[in-house]
Amino acid sequence: MPLDTSTYHLALLRLDGRRWNELRRLHAQISTQASADGSSYLEMGNTKVICTIAGPAEVRGAARREGAERDNAVVTVEIGIAGFSGVDRRGGGGGGGKGRGDKRTTEMQNTIASAFQSTLFTHLYPHSTITISLHILSQDGSLLAACLNAATLALIDAGVPMSDYIVACTSGLTPPKSGTESADPLLDLNGMEEQELPWLTVGTLGAGERVSVLVLESRVQVGRLEGMLAVGVDGCKQVREILDGVVRRQGKRVLESVIS
């Protein structure tokens, strides 16, 4: 069923009851998998992701000889999508099928690997690999953003040095109001909104406004892009506060367990 956005301008509320600049519920935990070097579990609304980290691990054997001149660790990303998680927003194989779903998964893997390759202190681990494994349990919008946020927490749990947090969220635009060309921005789109509205994923580094990831998922007029980006960056600041609170609470629990 198409998304009815006619009430967005009248009631100033979205179908899930949020205002235009409100995040969905964000819940996260770290150190969820004892067997992994680092792990996390994250929910953004009904999008649910588990992330585990393997490494930094030294490359051995033939792979070591092939990368003998490599002075930095290489970040690799693996994404597994549960068959019950939902369907791809464009109707492709979101449950791990072939075709368009596979292409989008590959694009996400490359985006995440590129973002963390430039953020982690990979020069400290020559001839090594850092593997980020992401398991998608449920999809309801902001999938790439959820993966980036979960990976950040898991890497912190693994103790991999980085320059700062990478945090991400989505932003979009409502349809133009009748009789005008203006459109209102929206923060943290859910699955139904992503199907009908133009949107992008933005990731920032740290508490500032330095953009490290920007993926535009649909066509949009250039003049409206600045407003979408500004809303996305502001949302990233809110996400960072939440993730920082998760890390601090975990650090406090670890410290208390050591002291006791």
Side-chain angles (χ1 to χ4, degrees):
M1 179 182 296
L3 177 66
D4 181 11
T5 60
S6 60
T7 61
Y8 279 32
H9 305 301
L10 299 176
L12 300 179
L13 293 175
R14 295 146 77 172
L15 294 183
D16 55 9
R18 290 180 294 148
R19 297 188 181 276
W20 65 272
N21 61 345
E22 289 182 351
L23 293 171
R24 292 176 293 175
R25 174 181 177 271
L26 199 161
H27 168 72
Q29 296 175 296
I30 56 179
S31 296
T32 57
Q33 306 288 329
S35 59
D37 294 315
S39 59
S40 67
Y41 171 76
L42 183 133
E43 297 179 3
M44 292 184 70
N46 290 323
T47 297
K48 303 176 183 180
V49 180
I50 292 175
C51 182
T52 59
I53 304 297
E58 185 178 2
V59 178
R60 299 182 181 276
R64 172 66 181 268
R65 290 192 295 272
E66 291 174 2
E69 298 180 358
R70 192 168 60 199
D71 295 328
N72 298 327
V74 173
V75 178
T76 60
V77 178
E78 300 172 353
I79 296 180
I81 302 178
F84 53 79
S85 66
V87 296
D88 186 84
R89 71 183 183 88
R90 299 182 188 274
K98 302 295 183 183
R100 189 174 295 169
D102 281 355
K103 180 180 178 182
R104 187 168 187 231
T105 299
T106 301
E107 291 173 350
M108 289 175 56
Q109 290 176 164
N110 293 336
T111 299
I112 296 169
S114 177
F116 285 105
Q117 187 73 50
S118 59
T119 304
L120 302 177
F121 293 162
T122 55
H123 63 279
L124 299 176
Y125 307 100
H127 314 297
S128 301
T129 59
I130 300 171
T131 302
I132 302 172
S133 299
L134 292 152
H135 309 276
I136 313 303
L137 303 181
S138 178
Q139 302 181 62
D140 186 31
S142 302
L143 182 57
L144 175 58
C147 289
L148 286 164
N149 294 331
T152 293
L153 291 177
L155 286 163
I156 292 172
D157 184 43
V160 181
M162 64 177 70
S163 56
D164 211 324
Y165 294 25
I166 289 182
V167 292
C169 70
T170 57
S171 63
L173 285 175
T174 61
K177 301 175 185 177
S178 58
T180 69
E181 291 298 322
S182 62
D184 296 326
L186 298 174
L187 178 66
D188 189 16
L189 276 65
N190 59 35
M192 288 187 64
E193 291 171 334
E194 286 185 358
Q195 292 181 32
E196 301 292 335
L197 305 176
W199 60 284
L200 58 79
T201 301
V202 57
T204 60
L205 186 63
E209 299 183 354
R210 179 182 171 187
V211 176
S212 59
V213 176
L214 182 60
V215 180
L216 182 62
E217 297 284 358
S218 47
R219 294 182 180 180
V220 65
Q221 295 181 9
V222 175
R224 296 175 179 172
L225 184 60
E226 183 177 356
M228 294 172 65
L229 185 58
V231 170
V233 169
D234 183 68
C236 287
K237 294 179 181 178
Q238 300 180 47
V239 173
R240 188 189 188 282
E241 291 182 5
I242 296 173
L243 298 191
D244 189 56
V246 172
V247 173
R248 290 178 181 275
R249 285 192 294 272
Q250 177 65 16
K252 183 179 179 179
R253 284 194 292 268
V254 172
L255 185 60
E256 289 175 348
S257 65
V258 171
I259 294 175
S260 60

